[in-house]
Amino acid sequence: MADTSALNALIQGLRRLPGVGVKSASRMAFHLLQHDREGAQMLAQALMQAAGNVKHCALCHTFTEADICDTCQDESRDASKLCVVENPADQSAVERTAAYKGLYFVLMGKISPLDGVGPKDIGLQKLIDRASNGLVQEVILATNFTAEGEATAHVISVALKARGLQVTRLARGVPVGSELEYVDLGTIAHAFVDRR
Amino acid sequence: MADTSALNALIQGLRRLPGVGVKSASRMAFHLLQHDREGAQMLAQALMQAAGNVKHCALCHTFTEADICDTCQDESRDASKLCVVENPADQSAVERTAAYKGLYFVLMGKISPLDGVGPKDIGLQKLIDRASNGLVQEVILATNFTAEGEATAHVISVALKARGLQVTRLARGVPVGSELEYVDLGTIAHAFVDRR
Ligand SMILES: [Zn+2]
Ligand SMILES: [Zn+2]
């Protein structure tokens, strides 16, 4: 594709994005170079900023640039409830329902034996410590209703119940086999009310 | 989505890529921050390098980091033939057939009245100058066989024939309505032989 190593490096760089093959990467590179060099520079700076500054909240593990995220610092939230989600997109979906005013723990993943992701990789001990702070009275498992999400919920449930904590699961109003971030808000809200 | 302006800026930056909506951009951003910060930094550097260094070949208009691209500098190529393509991906598809050993002119676009892209925007005058250098004996139009590609070929053909140049078009071996970069190499090679 022409004789430009910078162009080839850009195409290779774009292929690091999930779901982007060599054809898509080429089209993206041509588009940026031909029509949107300003966008290319904006994206480059955003990548450097984010890769350098975004870390994990010390309490809930979600992405934040501070030590503690805004949600965890919000004193108006109900500290007796802790909602466990797989990732920030799921957390965002729950937030948009406005059906929940407690706090969160974001696993940043799910247990997946086939991919070698075990309880340690989703911060199970950190979650246990968080749920055992004396304030949390109910842990609501809002992992996805996929096989891996259910397995993750099961492992967490066993570990927390062994420590005497009350553990609930979102009701099956959420369609089985689907991922939270694609579910309509009404369904998620209903599932919150019916949690078991 | 959490309280991180760097994350939001990254999602907005990724949305500048063609075909990437807010859901895809979020997934890309999470993936990079969670699993591939090295990839994020590589992509950032590749974007800066490419946006800063890639320019257009003075002769054929394709992307290059030099003033003249490698293909145009290659003295083993047949300077009596000039193949006109819409973009570097199409040029690359023609190269892979190994059915053509002449030179190229890359329009970096196509005439598209609905998008306000006219003959000036595809460098028609530059192409006329290039084809009138005394060496070129045949201009082969290899624009895509779409409505816009055909219109582009027509405009170029009229302009070049008015100046006494021999103009041919790839044979209809290329399926109508398709774009070159997605066509199998045999079909493109055959179309080269049957050019009219
Ligand atoms: Zn937090
Ligand atoms: Zn060139």
Side-chain angles (χ1 to χ4, degrees):
Chain A
M1 202 79 74
D3 62 321
T4 153
S5 60
L7 178 58
N8 288 332
L10 176 55
I11 292 171
Q12 292 310 311
L14 288 164
R15 290 190 65 187
R16 297 289 280 255
L17 298 171
V20 176
V22 66
K23 282 269 164 81
S24 301
S26 298
R27 295 195 153 231
M28 288 172 173
F30 294 148
H31 173 82
L32 290 175
L33 291 174
Q34 189 65 10
H35 301 293
D36 194 14
R37 293 203 184 210
E38 186 195 350
Q41 283 163 331
M42 278 180 48
L43 176 54
Q45 292 197 334
L47 283 161
M48 294 304 289
Q49 284 283 325
N53 297 340
V54 174
K55 49 193 178 181
H56 293 286
C57 173
L59 290 177
C60 75
H61 218 217
T62 198
F63 290 128
T64 176
E65 285 167 82
D67 292 328
I68 310 284
C69 76
D70 283 357
T71 305
C72 287
Q73 287 191 47
D74 182 351
E75 297 189 355
S76 75
R77 302 201 67 120
D78 181 355
S80 72
K81 291 188 172 55
L82 190 69
C83 178
V84 178
V85 293
E86 290 183 17
N87 58 55
D90 295 336
Q91 177 183 9
S92 180
V94 172
E95 279 293 286
R96 288 198 301 275
T97 69
Y100 178 69
K101 292 297 173 197
L103 295 173
Y104 290 92
F105 189 89
V106 185
L107 301 171
M108 290 290 178
K110 60 201 167 215
I111 292 176
S112 175
L114 290 178
D115 300 321
V117 180
K120 279 182 187 169
D121 304 299
I122 58 167
L124 182 57
Q125 187 56 52
K126 199 168 173 180
L127 168 57
I128 291 170
D129 295 344
R130 179 78 178 84
S132 308
N133 68 352
L135 294 172
V136 175
Q137 291 171 18
E138 178 185 0
V139 177
I140 304 165
L141 301 179
T143 55
N144 288 314
F145 281 68
T146 57
E148 291 169 338
E150 294 279 22
T152 303
H154 178 73
V155 168
I156 294 172
S157 177
V158 168
L160 294 181
K161 281 178 179 167
R163 284 158 183 83
L165 287 155
Q166 188 195 352
V167 181
T168 57
R169 178 87 169 108
L170 286 197
R172 294 241 168 208
V174 177
V176 173
S178 64
E179 299 187 1
L180 273 191
E181 74 173 288
Y182 298 110
V183 173
D184 70 278
L185 305 185
T187 303
I188 299 181
H190 210 86
F192 252 89
V193 175
D194 288 347
R195 67 184 181 268
R196 52 185 168 78
Chain B
M1 202 78 75
D3 62 321
T4 154
S5 61
L7 177 58
N8 287 333
L10 176 54
I11 292 170
Q12 292 310 311
L14 288 164
R15 290 191 65 187
R16 297 289 278 256
L17 298 171
V20 175
V22 66
K23 281 268 163 85
S24 299
S26 299
R27 295 196 152 232
M28 289 172 172
F30 294 149
H31 173 81
L32 291 175
L33 291 174
Q34 189 65 9
H35 301 294
D36 195 14
R37 294 205 183 207
E38 186 194 351
Q41 283 163 331
M42 280 180 48
L43 176 54
Q45 291 197 335
L47 284 162
M48 294 305 288
Q49 284 283 323
N53 296 339
V54 174
K55 49 193 177 182
H56 293 287
C57 173
L59 290 177
C60 75
H61 218 218
T62 198
F63 289 128
T64 176
E65 285 167 82
D67 292 329
I68 311 284
C69 76
D70 282 359
T71 306
C72 287
Q73 287 192 48
D74 183 352
E75 296 188 356
S76 75
R77 304 202 63 122
D78 180 356
S80 72
K81 291 188 174 54
L82 190 68
C83 178
V84 178
V85 293
E86 290 182 18
N87 58 55
D90 295 337
Q91 178 183 10
S92 179
V94 172
E95 280 293 284
R96 289 198 302 274
T97 70
Y100 178 71
K101 291 299 172 197
L103 295 174
Y104 289 91
F105 189 89
V106 185
L107 300 171
M108 291 289 179
K110 59 202 170 217
I111 291 176
S112 175
L114 291 179
D115 300 320
V117 181
K120 280 182 188 169
D121 303 300
I122 58 167
L124 182 57
Q125 188 56 52
K126 199 168 173 181
L127 168 57
I128 291 170
D129 295 344
R130 179 78 179 81
S132 308
N133 67 351
L135 294 172
V136 175
Q137 291 170 21
E138 177 186 359
V139 177
I140 303 164
L141 300 180
T143 54
N144 287 314
F145 281 68
T146 57
E148 290 169 339
E150 293 280 21
T152 303
H154 178 73
V155 168
I156 294 171
S157 178
V158 168
L160 294 181
K161 282 178 179 167
R163 284 158 183 84
L165 288 155
Q166 188 195 352
V167 181
T168 57
R169 177 87 168 107
L170 285 197
R172 294 245 168 207
V174 178
V176 173
S178 64
E179 299 188 359
L180 273 191
E181 68 171 301
Y182 297 111
V183 174
D184 70 278
L185 305 186
T187 303
I188 299 180
H190 209 88
F192 252 89
V193 174
D194 288 346
R195 65 183 181 269
R196 53 189 165 79

